[in-house]
């Protein structure tokens, strides 16, 4: 057979607990067995973290899986969805049980069009409840059709049909299992085979005999008793189990299940039951409830269900107070668990409250777990029980989940989409406030620039002061009155874990966005920018339920029956301002600890690199973070703008900032003047790296290169000045120059690139000026020092030697790929330490020596928050990170970071 490209578009539908995604899974497997190439599987988003069977099968095979909640908005195709679909390059769409409206742009896109499986013999029973109506109309023949999709509702040309006999007592479940499922899989595969062979017919559907019926719902499934017994039987079995045929009995609405036709010889001995509108009373017998049509013939129903959800055998209708075993559906069993748990309640009513009836936390766990076991399509969480504590609320919630109506309000995202780096990248570009992407006040926008080309990447909403106020109000509401503030720490951790998982699922897309927006080399972005961000959220997710105070015995007062204990509590609304060098990683370092502690966040990304922060907001929303917990505001940090308003806002109780020392000082002052808010600052650095003559030269060269040129030198802990012992100075310089010349400078998305563009034009200009200053002051420019003659913001890796202590480049940070090398006299350890510490900065430092005593001596005396010995840039999520002196105070990462977002309360009790 020739290989065909097929795209599945399937939606999970439930009929008698049969998941139609199993049908899609079987079609998928059979097509692959026949040698066809599946280029994509399109399905709906996961439900409660679980993918449908088709998606699981495809992911196992490495087939791309796309999960769109919808394809159209207000009747119009969503461009980014259509674009992502088109990128698969499908030649044929195969749609088993499609219940989403698929745009004609998708239907007609492949050269062979689209085929759809439909469970009726078209043109009869067009519409979504075809199997139900086959039974309701009493058709003697049923079957399925595979047809060519067109712009009508199940009106396209027929490719093939297969028919079967409909037995008198067939139900939706029985006919599906016996014929529509197994033969439908074969028929769909055969249809693809015919297309592959060029033999697929297109038979126009006849108009004669065409019918269209609506979706069956409870409202239109009431029984009309003025019919024959066979018609009544067909109506009941056609609506069994969903939505259920019902009628009024004794003033109550009762639903009828399990209908069969009975012969004239069947005994009707029993107790009569008056049914309004029926031609004659029903009879409650030992076998069930006998009903009569207007033709005098009979049928029997097995079970009855009342409005409160209780189901009984119809034979027990008049047995008041008796409870008998009923063959329940999975859904009905789930609802019956209440009664078994609340043993002290004689009658469960709509208003019965689970907790007021004596249920405790273990009963919640039992209820949730039993429902999961008994109704696989009704997955609950503990919080669902606390929120829906009355029986009526619980029933309604379960029904919504079973019917797939319990989905949260759909997140609407206006994406900027690009096909780049072998994928479709989808980038939100609006502010994210209170769980929604919104335009900035007044519709203000600005252009974010791709540093590789120097051209605009897209327009981004530019937050205004009023947007800050709105975001802070949302964060405050979420903290004080929302679900987040009431969530227990373990559930909070589970939510953060889920966010980390989503980030991992989107890591290639996030790394691509990071490269486009910041110029980070893709391979580094994938490993470090994104990889460490994911690790950070997972690390702090694990701390959520381990935040604890202490117990302190006190004896200040008499009698000595006093005790004090401390509580570690979240601060409240926290503002976070992050830099542009590691856009997502700096977000993660602060936000993960902040959220783990239970706070809410208003975050301002750097104006020049907002895109991964906005993508993060989307993933957080999809992970299920409640509205208002995370708010992202791209905008200016300048005076009277977003950053300033965050510093001044009276409802912000903590501000975490990473950036320049100059701005850090201003923020600290504003936070003090406004409301004495808590502050943590990670500021500038001029980190010294001391290389002794007894070092491992190969390692010193390799790590020395990394210490300066890692991430294009845009690295807060970059070695701002290298002190090299004079006896190895020339050899070291020669070696690093050789390594620099090997570096490939170019497109950061190229996997072979070592060095990408600088982050933005203003920074590039500062680097040029910085190097010009170094030359003017007499330092030796060994290589580099210039902008490359190509589009974008590319700067040559640079090496200066003969740098004296008084020079500008010896004292000030370049924050770029500039290696500053100074000599020190052989053996003069204390002198080089004095020179290394002669700076107002104290973020990081390093030493290379094989002498462990010397290494310990130097590391003890280097005045910096981090000291690397015989390595560099080796940060880890478990190790605290932060500076001394004018490099700031407070810690990111490690257990200590949690303290930056917690307050300690002491409680003293006399007993």
């Amino acid at each position: 057979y020739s290989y065909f490209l097929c795209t599945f578009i399937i939606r999970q539908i439930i009929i008698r607990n049969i998941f139609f995604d199993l049908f899609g899974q079987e079609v998928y497997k059979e097509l692959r067995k026949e040698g066809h190439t599946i280029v994509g599987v399109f399905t709906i988003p996961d439900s409660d973290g679980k993918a449908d069977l088709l998606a699981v099968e495809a992911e196992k095979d490495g087939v791309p899986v796309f999960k769109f909640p919808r394809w159209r908005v207000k009747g119009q195709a969503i461009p980014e969805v259509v674009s992502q679909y088109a990128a698969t390059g499908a030649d044929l769409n195969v749609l088993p049980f499609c219940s989403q409206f698929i745009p004609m742009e998708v239907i007609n896109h492949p050269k062979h069009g689209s085929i759809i499986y439909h469970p009726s013999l078209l043109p009869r029973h067009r519409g979504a409840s075809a199997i139900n109506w086959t039974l309701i109309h009493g058709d003697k023949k049923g079957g399925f059709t595979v047809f060519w999709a067109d712009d009508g509702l199940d009106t396209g040309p027929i490719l093939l049909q297969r028919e079967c006999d409909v037995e008198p007592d067939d139900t939706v479940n029985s006919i599906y299992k016996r014929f529509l499922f197994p033969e439908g899989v074969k028929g769909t595969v055969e249809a693809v085979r015919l297309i592959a062979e060029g033999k697929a017919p297109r038979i126009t559907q006849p108009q004669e005999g065409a019918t269209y019926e609506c979706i069956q719902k409870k409202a239109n499934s009431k029984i009309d008793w003025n019919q024959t017994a066979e018609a009544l039987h067909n109506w009941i079995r056609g609506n069994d189990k969903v939505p259920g045929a019902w009628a009024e009995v004794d003033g109550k609405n009762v639903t009828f299940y399990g209908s069969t036709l009975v012969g004239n010889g069947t005994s009707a001995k029993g107790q009569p039951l008056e049914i309004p509108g029926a031609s004659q009373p029903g009879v409650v017998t030992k076998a069930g409830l006998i009903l009569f049509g207007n033709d005098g013939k009979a049928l029997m129903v097995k079970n009855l269900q009342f409005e409160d959800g209780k189901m009984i055998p119809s034979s027990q209708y008049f047995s008041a107070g008796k409870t008998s075993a009923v063959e329940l559906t999975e859904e009905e069993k789930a609802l019956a668990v209440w009664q078994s748990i609340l043993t002290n309640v004689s009658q469960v009513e709509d208003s019965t409250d689970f907790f007021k009836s004596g249920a405790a936390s273990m009963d919640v766990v039992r209820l949730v777990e039993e429902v999961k076991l008994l109704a696989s399509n009704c997955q609950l969480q503990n919080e669902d029980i606390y929120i829906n504590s009355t029986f009526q609320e619980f029933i309604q919630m379960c029904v919504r989940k079973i019917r797939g109506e319990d989905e949260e309000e759909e997140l609407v995202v206006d994406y900027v989409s690009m096909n780049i780096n072998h994928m479709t990248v989808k980038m939100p570009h609006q502010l994210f406030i209170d769980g929604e992407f919104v335009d900035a006040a007044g519709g203000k926008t600005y252009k974010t620039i791709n540093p590789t080309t120097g051209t605009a990447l897209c327009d981004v909403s530019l937050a205004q002061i009023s947007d800050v106020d709105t975001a802070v109000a949302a964060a405050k509401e979420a903290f004080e009155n929302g679900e987040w503030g009431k969530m227990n720490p373990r559930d909070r951790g589970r939510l953060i874990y889920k966010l980390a998982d989503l980030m991992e699922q989107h890591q290639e897309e996030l790394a691509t966005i990071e490269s486009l927006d910041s110029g980070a080399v893709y391979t580094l972005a994938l490993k470090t920018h994104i990889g460490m961000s994911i690790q950070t959220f997972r690390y702090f997710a694990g701390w959520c339920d381990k935040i604890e105070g202490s117990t302190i015995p006190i004896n200040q007062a008499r009698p000595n029956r006093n005790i004090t204990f401390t509580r570690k509590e979240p601060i409240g609304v926290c503002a976070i301002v992050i830099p542009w060098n590691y856009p997502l990683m700096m977000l993660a370092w602060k936000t993960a600890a902040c959220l783990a502690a239970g706070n809410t966040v208003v975050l301002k990304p750097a104006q020049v690199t907002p895109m991964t922060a906005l993508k993060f907001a989307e993933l957080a929303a999809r992970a299920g973070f409640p509205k208002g917990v995370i708010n992202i505001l791209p905008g200016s940090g300048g005076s009277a703008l977003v950053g300033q308003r965050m510093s001044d806002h009276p409802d912000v109780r903590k501000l975490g900032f990473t950036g320049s020392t100059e701005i850090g000082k201003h923020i600290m002052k504003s936070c003090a003047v406004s409301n004495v808010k808590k502050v943590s600052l990670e500021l500038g650095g001029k980190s010294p790296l001391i290389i002794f003559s007894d070092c491992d030269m190969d390692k010193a060269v390799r790590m020395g290169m990394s210490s300066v040129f890692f991430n294009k030198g845009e690295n807060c802990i970059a070695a701002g000045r290298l002190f090299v012992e004079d006896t190895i100075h020339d050899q070291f310089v020669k070696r690093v120059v050789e390594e620099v010349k090997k570096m490939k400078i170019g497109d950061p998305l190229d996997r072979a690139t070592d060095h990408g563009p600088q982050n933005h034009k203003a920074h590039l200009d500062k680097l040029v000026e910085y190097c010009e200053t170094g030359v003017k002051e007499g330092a030796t420019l060994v290589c580099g020092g210039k902008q490359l003659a190509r589009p974008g913001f590319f700067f040559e890796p640079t090496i200066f030697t003969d740098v004296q202590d008084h020079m500008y480049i010896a004292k000030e940070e370049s924050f770029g790929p500039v290696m500053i090398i100074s000599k020190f006299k052989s053996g003069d350890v204390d002198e080089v330490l004095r020179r290394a510490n002669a700076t107002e900065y104290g973020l990081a430092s390093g030493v290379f020596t094989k002498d462990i005593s010397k290494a310990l001596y130097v590391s003890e005396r280097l005045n910096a928050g981090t000291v690397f010995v015989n390595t560099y840039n080796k940060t880890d999520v478990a190790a605290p990170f932060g500076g001394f002196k004018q490099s700031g105070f407070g810690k990111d990462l490690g257990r200590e970071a949690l303290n930056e977002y917690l307050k300690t309360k002491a409680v003293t009790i006399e007993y």
Side-chain angles (χ1 to χ4, degrees), residues 7 89 93 97 118 224 275 344 376 418 421 425 430 433 453 510-511 573 663 675 677 773 786 800 831 849 866:
T7 300
N93 293 332
F97 282 102
H118 186 78
D224 176 8
I275 299 177
N344 60 326
S376 59
M418 297 178 65
N421 201 25
V425 173
Q430 297 169 288
I433 300 175
T453 62
L510 286 165
V573 179
I663 299 299
N675 60 346
K677 57 175 61 73
T773 301
K786 302 187 298 298
F800 277 101
E831 175 60 16
T849 176
T866 297

Side-chain angles (χ1 to χ4, degrees), residues 454-526:
T455 59
L457 183 60
C458 66
D459 288 334
V460 179
S461 294
L462 181 67
Q464 306 298 299
I465 291 176
S466 60
D467 295 315
V468 178
D469 294 340
T470 302
V472 171
K476 184 179 181 183
E477 176 66 19
F479 180 77
E480 295 181 352
N481 303 311
E483 179 186 349
W484 181 254
K486 302 170 186 175
M487 190 177 294
N488 71 64
R490 198 158 294 166
D491 289 337
R492 189 165 69 237
R494 185 175 61 194
L495 202 55
I496 298 174
Y497 274 124
K498 186 175 181 180
L499 171 58
D501 290 343
L502 273 177
M503 291 172 69
E504 187 169 55
Q505 292 170 27
H506 289 262
Q507 61 184 337
E508 289 86 0
E509 183 181 19
L510 286 165
T512 302
I513 296 172
E514 195 93 324
S515 293
L516 292 171
D517 203 28
S518 75
V521 172
Y522 174 76
T523 50
L524 176 65
L526 191 62

Side-chain angles (χ1 to χ4, degrees), residues 789-907:
R790 58 177 292 169
F793 310 139
F794 291 87
F795 187 80
E796 295 177 336
T798 301
I799 298 176
F800 277 101
T801 60
D802 301 320
V803 178
Q804 305 304 311
D805 294 354
H806 68 276
M807 293 179 178
Y808 176 83
I809 63 174
K811 295 185 291 184
E812 296 298 327
E813 180 181 30
S814 70
F815 212 66
V818 182
M819 181 178 284
I820 308 295
I821 302 176
S822 300
K823 293 180 184 178
F824 70 91
K825 291 181 180 180
S826 179
D828 200 345
V829 177
D830 289 329
E831 175 60 16
V832 75
L833 277 170
R834 183 195 65 76
R835 295 171 68 190
N837 285 327
T839 173
E840 276 300 303
Y841 301 111
L843 188 56
S845 59
V847 55
F848 277 82
T849 176
K850 293 179 181 177
D851 185 338
I852 187 63
S853 297
K854 186 190 297 181
L856 291 172
Y857 181 87
V858 171
S859 62
E860 181 181 330
R861 286 159 178 76
L862 282 169
N863 195 4
T866 297
V867 181
F868 297 108
V869 178
N870 294 327
T871 188
Y872 209 89
N873 284 326
K874 196 165 286 185
T875 53
D876 187 87
V877 294
F881 179 92
F884 300 160
K885 299 186 287 188
Q886 291 196 43
S887 287
F889 52 85
K891 296 295 182 183
D892 291 327
L893 304 180
R895 183 175 185 174
E896 291 185 46
L898 289 168
N899 294 327
E900 304 297 331
Y901 298 94
L902 293 167
K903 58 189 179 186
T904 302
K905 177 187 291 181
V907 179

